[in-house]
């Protein structure tokens, strides 16, 4: 339904344009049946999230429910090791253990204002499913989560959490029985229940306005970083911000208020899996080409004839064959520095953080931590690493390596 109306958008404009494009990426490539839902969201999301009443409730829940602001912690032993001032943005301390709750709080408030009664979501590792089930319980809304059967076996504790929170978890048995199949199933559900259902997408992916909307909800991360750096160092701008990228929501949030500050280097770290050339990788910018995935035009890991390639990463949160359109644009334009870390490198970095700082990170941000080794810092550099989640969910995996 959508065509690219923005082929000539100037680089250097990092936000989304009125057609939902970041440079050449983005848009809304959706089946006709979904047009009314997506159009309603496109027309209303900005005015709703700008209402005083919305802002007040969003801020209240971020503070008193999710536990914000999260600390910005100067990791002294890590800093000494890498020869820079390394600060950790502690999203791991959020309620439910990761940044995902920032977005699900925002979207549930939006769904309420659109008078939707039934919430659907897709989940891979179960983290987004848990964050969605959490806010549905909080608001008393019905919650249906689609999850690949294979992921349900791999992530049994999160399935139990969702059930405890009252969500219905529907196993998806099509395709590879993982995240991309769960996403297809959620879209199918939405098509069948267009009037009463709201689809909470968990990252900066999907048709416009989801990438922009999710980035705005997560932008609280960089808003706080600026304020906290100012208090701690006297200046608001770091030299580097590091974040891991699955779909790209924690990175979008950590980068957001620095996008136009070109002195700040934005470092996005993808999962190389067993190695970029191994056939078992999720490093989309290295392996992907332009294509359409889940309603938007972006970089996608696909075969020459457009079949999506099964990704691989040790971390379920980075195991996605695409990347949000904002990140595709940051990559193509050179504004972002894209690095990667392998499965074993991520585990090594997680062990290092645990032993140097007493913090066990999730496998996802462990990829970003490993990438600290790939750049040369000056002693005076201020480096922020977005610690997107905590490692409790990954202890079994870590134990296999110890
Ligand atoms: C889901 C998840 C990610 C990956 O998702 P993004 O949208 O790329 O942020 C990263 N870290 C943690 C802890 C997650 O749960």
């Amino acid at each position: 339904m959508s065509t690219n109306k923005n082929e000539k958008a100037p680089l250097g404009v990092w936000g989304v344009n009125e057609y939902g494009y970041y440079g050449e990426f983005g848009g809304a490539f959706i089946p006709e049946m979904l047009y009314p839902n997506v159009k309603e969201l496109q027309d209303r999301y900005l005015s709703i999230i700008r209402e005083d009443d919305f802002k007040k409730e969003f801020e209240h829940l971020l503070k008193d429910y999710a536990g914000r602001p999260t600390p910005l912690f100067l990791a002294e032993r890590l800093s000494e090791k890498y020869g820079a001032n390394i600060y950790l943005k502690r999203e791991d301390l959020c309620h439910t253990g990761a940044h995902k709750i920032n977005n699900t709080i925002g979207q549930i408030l939006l769904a309420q204002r659109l008078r939707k009664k039934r919430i659907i979501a897709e989940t891979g590792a179960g983290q987004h499913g848990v964050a969605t089930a959490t806010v549905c319980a909080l608001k008393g809304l019905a919650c249906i989560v689609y999850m690949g059967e294979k992921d349900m076996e791999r992530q049994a504790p999160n399935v139990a959490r969702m059930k405890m929170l009252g969500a219905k978890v529907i196993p998806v048995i099509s395709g590879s029985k993982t995240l991309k199949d769960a996403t297809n199933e959620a879209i199918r559900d939405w098509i069948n229940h267009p009037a009463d259902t709201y689809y909470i997408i968990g990252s900066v992916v999907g048709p416009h306005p989801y990438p922009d909307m999710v980035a705005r909800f997560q932008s609280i991360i960089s808003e706080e970083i600026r304020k906290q750096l100012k208090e701690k160092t006297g200046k608001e701008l770091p030299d580097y911000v590091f974040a891991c990228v699955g779909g790209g929501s924690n990175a979008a949030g950590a980068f957001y208020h620095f996008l136009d500050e070109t002195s700040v280097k934005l470092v996005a770290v993808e999962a190389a899996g067993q190695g970029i050339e191994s056939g078992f990788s999720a490093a989309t910018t290295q392996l992907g080409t332009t294509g359409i995935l889940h309603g938007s035009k972006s970089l996608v890991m696909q075969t020459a004839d457009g079949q999506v390639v099964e990704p691989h990463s040790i971390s379920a949160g980075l195991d996605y064959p695409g990347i949000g359109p904002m990140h595709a644009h940051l990559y193509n334009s050179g504004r972002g520095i894209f690095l990667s870390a392998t499965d074993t490198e991520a585990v090594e970095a997680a062990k290092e953080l645990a032993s140097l700082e007493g913090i066990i990170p999730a496998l996802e941000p462990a990829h970003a931590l490993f990438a600290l080794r790939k750049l040369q810092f000056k002693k005076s550099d201020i480096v922020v690493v977005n610690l997107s989640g905590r490692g409790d969910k990954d202890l079994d995996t870590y134990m296999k390596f110890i």
Side-chain angles (χ1 to χ4, degrees):
M1 137 233 147
S2 183
T3 53
N4 187 345
K5 296 168 183 145
N6 189 38
E7 222 67 68
K8 294 200 170 58
L11 296 178
V13 178
W14 306 111
V16 77
N17 72 11
E18 62 183 301
Y19 306 111
Y21 278 85
Y22 299 85
E24 64 175 286
F25 302 109
F29 296 82
I30 50 170
E32 190 131 357
M33 294 284 289
L34 282 182
Y35 184 77
N37 291 46
V38 172
K39 183 79 169 66
E40 180 185 33
L41 262 185
Q42 289 174 352
D43 289 345
R44 298 193 55 196
Y45 82 110
L46 281 178
S47 61
I48 291 176
I49 68 180
R50 284 174 179 151
E51 282 166 10
D52 284 343
D53 157 78
F54 182 97
K55 282 197 272 190
K56 218 170 129 193
E57 191 172 4
F58 186 50
E59 278 163 25
H60 155 66
L61 289 177
L62 286 182
K63 177 166 179 276
D64 294 334
Y65 189 67
R68 305 204 71 89
T70 58
L72 185 70
F73 175 66
L74 174 61
E76 289 187 16
R77 302 215 310 140
L78 199 68
S79 295
E80 192 166 324
K81 179 142 187 195
Y82 292 103
N85 304 285
I86 300 176
Y87 287 87
L88 304 175
K89 182 58 174 161
R90 301 289 312 274
E91 295 300 296
D92 59 314
L93 296 178
C94 287
H95 180 41
T96 72
H99 68 291
K100 291 210 168 67
I101 192 85
N102 304 325
N103 168 47
T104 58
I105 289 174
Q107 288 199 55
I108 201 87
L109 296 181
L110 188 69
Q112 276 192 313
R113 282 154 179 80
L114 293 170
R115 306 197 187 291
K116 305 292 182 183
K117 298 280 175 269
R118 185 174 170 272
I119 303 295
I120 58 171
E122 84 297 336
T123 197
Q127 294 299 104
H128 173 58
V130 169
T132 302
T134 298
V135 295
C136 287
L138 178 71
K139 290 295 185 179
L141 293 177
C143 181
I144 295 107
V145 180
Y146 289 91
M147 188 168 185
E149 195 176 50
K150 194 167 143 197
D151 288 335
M152 285 180 73
E153 285 162 20
R154 291 194 287 189
Q155 310 288 334
N158 275 340
V159 176
R161 264 178 215 121
M162 286 184 267
K163 289 185 175 165
M164 179 83 185
L165 290 161
K168 187 167 163 198
V169 184
I170 300 187
V172 174
I173 53 170
S174 56
S176 53
K177 306 183 175 70
T178 59
L179 177 59
K180 71 175 170 53
D181 313 289
T183 306
N184 291 336
E185 225 36 64
I187 292 173
R188 208 160 293 153
D189 178 309
W190 206 21
I191 291 173
N192 290 327
H193 304 88
D196 64 339
T197 297
Y198 183 93
Y199 179 16
I200 299 190
I201 293 184
S203 191
V204 286
V205 300
H208 176 60
Y210 282 100
D212 182 52
M213 179 168 68
V214 176
R216 284 171 193 264
F217 291 146
Q218 293 292 359
S219 71
I220 185 70
I221 299 172
S222 48
E223 191 181 317
E224 287 175 6
I225 293 172
R226 280 187 83 127
K227 216 178 284 171
Q228 291 166 321
L229 272 183
K230 176 89 179 157
E231 281 165 19
K232 288 175 197 296
T233 69
K235 45 183 225 176
E236 279 180 46
L237 301 183
D239 297 286
Y240 295 86
V241 181
F242 281 67
C244 63
V245 176
S249 69
N250 87 88
F255 295 169
Y256 198 88
H257 291 285
F258 302 116
L259 286 167
D260 292 328
E261 311 277 5
T262 47
S263 69
V264 182
K265 296 175 197 73
L266 307 175
V267 185
V269 186
E270 296 182 296
Q274 295 174 16
I276 287 174
E277 305 299 336
S278 67
F280 296 91
S281 179
T284 302
T285 60
Q286 305 307 304
L287 297 166
T289 50
T290 301
I292 311 282
L293 181 65
H294 300 143
S296 78
K297 182 177 173 190
S298 191
L299 293 171
V300 182
M301 289 169 50
Q302 58 189 338
T303 59
D305 54 354
Q307 291 299 308
V308 175
V309 170
E310 192 63 24
H312 169 85
S313 167
I314 192 170
S315 89
L318 303 185
D319 205 350
Y320 186 67
I323 186 174
M326 177 206 272
H327 295 293
H329 183 45
L330 292 177
Y331 175 72
N332 256 18
S333 64
R335 174 70 185 94
I337 299 169
F338 281 72
L339 303 174
S340 65
T342 64
D343 292 349
T344 47
E345 289 171 342
V347 173
E348 195 183 320
K351 282 199 270 183
E352 180 181 76
L353 189 72
S355 65
L356 286 181
E357 301 290 346
I359 298 169
I360 302 172
L363 270 163
E364 291 85 1
H367 289 73
L369 289 163
F370 187 85
L372 289 170
R373 306 175 192 203
K374 301 196 171 188
L375 296 179
Q376 276 295 326
F377 302 118
K378 294 197 296 285
K379 198 105 196 101
S380 60
D381 280 344
I382 294 175
V383 178
V384 176
V385 181
N386 195 37
L387 207 62
S388 55
R390 69 177 82 125
D392 310 32
K393 69 182 176 61
D394 299 315
L395 281 177
D396 279 353
T397 308
Y398 290 145
M399 285 305 108
K400 284 186 196 129
F401 281 80
I402 286 175

